[in-house]
Amino acid sequence: MVQAVGVQQVSGDVYAEVQSFYARQMRRVDALDVEGFAATFTADGVVVHADGHRQAGREEMVAGMRARLPRYEDVAVRHWFGHLLVEVDGADEDTVRVSYYTLVSEVDREGRVSFQPTFTVEDVLVRVEGRLLTRSRVIRRDVPGGPGVSAAS
Amino acid sequence: MVQAVGVQQVSGDVYAEVQSFYARQMRRVDALDVEGFAATFTADGVVVHADGHRQAGREEMVAGMRARLPRYEDVAVRHWFGHLLVEVDGADEDTVRVSYYTLVSEVDREGRVSFQPTFTVEDVLVRVEGRLLTRSRVIRRDVPGGPGVSAAS
Amino acid sequence: MVQAVGVQQVSGDVYAEVQSFYARQMRRVDALDVEGFAATFTADGVVVHADGHRQAGREEMVAGMRARLPRYEDVAVRHWFGHLLVEVDGADEDTVRVSYYTLVSEVDREGRVSFQPTFTVEDVLVRVEGRLLTRSRVIRRDVPGGPGVSAAS
């Protein structure tokens, strides 16, 4: 996932495009806009959650998010990303591999802040009609001595 | 505020310029450099705080920050930004609309870390003599089910 | 360290290159890959820690990190960066000065998140055979009213 020696640097334009894609995608999930979030995935998009549960297609994603909505009734959740690594396949400029850290904050009505455990995510994005969509996402919980991050490069 | 379909992608150069602007502006506010911070706004700059209070012009900003300084006597505050969305008006390249998440950390002398509630901010930046300044800022507290973030795009 | 008036804006390409460099360097330190982390520094690389302790050369870095490893046996540590300021010396495009905020999270096996105090870091990076390495790093703990951040610009 991490860039290997010889892999060309991501351009500033693609880096900004990828960051902007996530900025929009996370606004939707943080606004609990279930359909809007699912629409940022390809129709056959796949998400593998940290517990191993696999969601395939927007319908399963929407159902899965709906089931979790009550959990967010009393908090405002925000997803924070860190250390994006963006790799464009030289042979296919419309496929972008990205890995990043995530930290999820929750704020209650009194303004108290708490945090969910950190995760490391690996995505495959595809550019369709000029716009990025997530084709696959693998989410790994960060555990002590765990494989959450790769030391490769 | 969020990019609509059809809005062109922000370039890598402008994305880096905007990130660098905030890196400098936040160093000033986190250093409690009241005048230096106010100088990153246009002379007629406006800030609308989460409680609805409106500050117009650098003088009001300086007065408002001075009044809050005692609150920061015993902590080192740091503003963290997330998920910047940068939109350049096609008709006016010197006006840049930006929205972003903010998380504010406070560290006391013993090194204990605490966090203020999260906020979502919408800025209008203008480029004056080649340098960005903030012309307007609207700060919204993130509340459960609240309008803190837009699901648009 | 902070860009002075007249210093040219960092390009989007260099901004993305620097962010990608840190994304790889921090994956290594967060994976406790001591040798891999040291390899992201020049052979004569220097780190000045917040307590004033100075490590010169990869051997000292490796020894220092090994000594701290037991501290991380039961937590997954993640380094979060904020507000990178990137300055390229006009006379030497292969030397890049960077300052940034850091927040270090620790997650235990039960998923409880805690944070180390925040720091502000100033690096000098050099591009060797097309790849960035850290030549020097100065780490400052953020303290109330402290010099952790510069208000200059």
Side-chain angles (χ1 to χ4, degrees), chain B residues 48-107:
Chain B
V48 180
H49 291 274
D51 61 4
H53 178 62
R54 185 176 181 281
Q55 292 173 329
R58 292 171 177 162
E59 218 167 285
E60 281 187 28
M61 286 180 211
V62 168
M65 286 183 71
R66 284 203 186 294
R68 289 203 315 279
L69 281 182
R71 191 184 177 307
Y72 296 106
E73 259 171 19
D74 299 322
V75 294
V77 62
R78 294 293 181 266
H79 288 71
W80 304 84
F81 282 20
H83 291 311
L84 263 74
L85 265 176
V86 179
E87 179 182 312
V88 179
D89 182 342
D92 173 10
E93 287 194 344
D94 288 329
T95 298
V96 183
R97 296 176 179 281
V98 189
S99 76
Y100 48 92
Y101 293 4
T102 65
L103 176 68
V104 179
S105 63
E106 298 184 2
V107 180

Side-chain angles (χ1 to χ4, degrees), chain B residues 12-13 16 19 23-24 26-28 30-31 33 73-76 78-81 105 107 109-111 113 115 131, chain C residues 3 9-12 15 82-85 99-103 115-118 141-144 149-151 153:
Chain B
D13 288 345
Q19 289 275 21
R24 288 189 289 268
M26 290 302 108
R27 274 166 177 71
R28 292 181 177 192
D30 290 340
D33 173 20
E73 259 171 19
D74 299 322
V75 294
R78 294 293 181 266
H79 288 71
W80 304 84
F81 282 20
S105 63
V107 180
R109 298 184 195 282
E110 288 65 48
V113 179
F115 295 92
R131 293 174 69 81
Chain C
Q3 292 187 333
Q9 289 290 341
V10 62
S11 72
Y15 185 81
H83 291 311
L84 263 73
L85 265 175
S99 77
Y100 49 91
Y101 293 4
T102 66
L103 177 68
F115 295 92
Q116 297 178 16
T118 59
R141 161 101 171 265
D142 299 330
V143 292
V149 297
S150 164
S153 171

Side-chain angles (χ1 to χ4, degrees), chain C residues 109-122:
Chain C
R109 299 184 194 282
E110 288 65 48
R112 285 184 295 261
V113 178
S114 61
F115 295 92
Q116 297 178 16
T118 59
F119 294 84
T120 302
V121 181
E122 296 193 358

Side-chain angles (χ1 to χ4, degrees), chain A residues 2 60 80 108 137:
Chain A
V2 180
E60 280 187 29
W80 304 84
D108 67 15
R137 171 162 298 170

Side-chain angles (χ1 to χ4, degrees), chain A residues 12-13 15-24 26-28 30-33 36 72-81 103 105 107-113 115 130-131, chain B residues 2-7 9-13 15 80-86 99-103 115-120 141-146 148-153:
Chain A
D13 288 345
Y15 186 80
E17 178 189 12
V18 169
Q19 289 276 20
S20 302
F21 168 74
Y22 286 119
R24 287 189 288 267
M26 289 302 108
R27 274 165 176 71
R28 292 180 178 192
D30 291 339
L32 307 181
D33 173 20
Y72 296 107
E73 260 171 19
D74 299 322
V75 294
V77 61
R78 293 294 181 265
H79 287 72
W80 304 84
F81 282 19
L103 177 67
S105 62
V107 180
D108 67 15
R109 298 184 194 284
E110 287 66 47
R112 284 184 295 260
V113 179
F115 295 92
R131 295 173 69 81
Chain B
V2 181
Q3 293 185 335
V5 175
V7 169
Q9 288 291 341
V10 62
S11 72
D13 288 345
Y15 185 80
W80 304 84
F81 282 20
H83 291 311
L84 263 74
L85 265 176
V86 179
S99 76
Y100 48 92
Y101 293 4
T102 65
L103 176 68
F115 295 92
Q116 298 178 17
T118 58
F119 294 84
T120 302
R141 161 103 169 263
D142 298 329
V143 292
V149 296
S150 164
S153 172

